[in-house]
């Protein structure tokens, strides 16, 4: 039931990290200390996120072994999950977002950039969107597919990242206008480009603009932060972004900046006069 890119990622973790360290041991002889030593080696190499993912994969595998009565208990129960602290994400201010939207008018990938910064779509969801997913009369689009590039170079279609990722979203006027200007009848891709090529186009675009550099995925973060700036409810924002847990949205996809702090202080100060 996993997506192709996830299967490829898990296979790589097993081949590169888990098997070389503990693959020679009998299942019943794997101890918490062996797993902890393997994870620490990955951490010492500077790959805390990889260590966390190895923990997740191995925990699921050994839980399955317990369910199949191949072992009586999982040694993962005595292993602490590695802590990964993500790098700080950069987002644009409201003024920078407006400047960006003005600068991309006429760009060949304008629709892609608007779908990211205006609706919070993921890179794969943008590339997987088809014209048949868009209803311009009702002004809604359906997110039900994504494109993924595998390590062997193949680009495949897959369902969204999770069940919550399949969603129907209203289309903002600016995005709707761009879609109308470029509308094509049929089932073709709205943005006929691979995810990695879209990343490269984003980098080329930002080199020409007088804006701080942010990753393509950070346009999604910027959309979420702009929504919070304008009073969006976290549960609704989570649904828009395709998250099942609003706490994840609050923790990862919204960012407090100086502008938001100033607005909050000003709001509190108004009660003092």
């Amino acid at each position: 039931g996993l997506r192709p890119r996830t299967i490829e990622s898990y296979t790589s973790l097993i081949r590169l990290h888990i098997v070389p360290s503990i693959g020679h041991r009998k299942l019943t002889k794997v101890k918490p200390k062996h797993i902890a030593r393997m994870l620490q080696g990955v951490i010492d190499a500077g790959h805390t996120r990889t260590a966390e993912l190895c923990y997740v994969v191995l925990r699921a595998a050994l839980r399955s072994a317990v369910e199949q009565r191949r072992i009586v208990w999982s040694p993962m129960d005595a292993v602490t999950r590695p802590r990964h602290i993500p790098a700080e994400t950069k987002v644009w201010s409201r003024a920078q977002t407006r400047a960006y939207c003005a600068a991309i008018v006429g760009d060949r990938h304008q629709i892609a950039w608007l779908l990211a910064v205006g609706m919070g779509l993921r890179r794969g969801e943008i590339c997987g969107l088809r014209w048949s997913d868009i209803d311009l009369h009702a002004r809604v689009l359906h997110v039900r597919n994504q494109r993924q590039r595998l390590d062997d170079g193949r680009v495949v279609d897959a369902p969204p990242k999770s069940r919550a990722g399949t969603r129907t979203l209203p289309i903002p006027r600016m995005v709707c206008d761009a879609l109308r200007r470029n509308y094509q009848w049929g089932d073709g891709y709205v943005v006929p480009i691979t995810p990695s090529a879209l990343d490269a186009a984003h980098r080329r675009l930002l080199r020409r603009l007088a804006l701080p550099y942010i990753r393509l995925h950070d346009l999604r973060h910027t959309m979420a932060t702009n929504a919070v700036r304008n009073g969006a409810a976290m549960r609704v924002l989570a649904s828009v972004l395709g998250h099942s847990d609003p706490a994840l949205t609050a923790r990862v996809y919204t960012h407090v900046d100086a502008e938001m702090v100033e607005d909050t202080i000003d709001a509190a100060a108004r009660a003092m006069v």
Side-chain angles (χ1 to χ4, degrees), residues 183-202:
Y183 185 77
Q184 298 178 21
W185 181 260
D187 200 36
Y189 295 111
V190 176
V191 182
I193 188 174
T194 64
S196 56
L198 191 63
D199 259 333
H202 168 76

Side-chain angles (χ1 to χ4, degrees), residues 13-15 34-35 51 61 66 87 90 107 115-116 191 214-215 232:
L13 292 169
I14 294 167
R15 178 175 55 85
H34 302 139
I35 298 168
V66 172
K90 298 178 181 179
D107 185 270
L115 290 171
V191 182
I214 63 174
R215 303 170 304 161

